[in-house]
Amino acid sequence: MFTHPAKVCMTYFQHCKFSLKLCLLFLKGAFFAFIHSFIPDLFITSSTNINFTIKKLISESGCRNSEI
């Protein structure tokens, strides 16, 4: 039933923890972007910084499988 975690070389719980970490980063990014939309002088680089963090985490996690 849950085959995706194995395809990316993670256990179910490793995948769950990783996905929750991404979720928190997305929420943080959404919050900062929302504030930035009304007060442009706040959180000027937060979206870029969070994007780089997420890209780095994804590129360093699990393994890369052509079946994904």
Side-chain angles (χ1 to χ4, degrees), residues 1 3 5 7-9 11 15 19 29 35 40 44-45 47 50-51 53 56 63-64 66:
M1 182 162 127
T3 60
K7 288 180 181 178
V8 292
C9 304
T11 67
H15 188 274
S19 292
I35 299 299
I44 295 169
T45 63
S47 295
I50 289 173
N51 183 43
T53 300
K56 185 174 188 283
C63 63
R64 300 290 145 236
S66 60

Side-chain angles (χ1 to χ4, degrees), residues 1 6 10 34 54 65:
M1 182 162 127
M10 293 182 178
F34 180 79
I54 290 170
N65 187 333

Side-chain angles (χ1 to χ4, degrees), residues 19-43:
S19 292
L20 288 172
K21 186 173 189 173
L22 290 179
C23 178
L24 290 175
L25 285 169
F26 288 132
L27 286 171
K28 181 179 176 181
F31 174 76
F32 288 156
F34 180 79
I35 299 299
H36 176 74
S37 68
F38 292 102
I39 310 170
D41 288 336
L42 294 179
F43 308 119

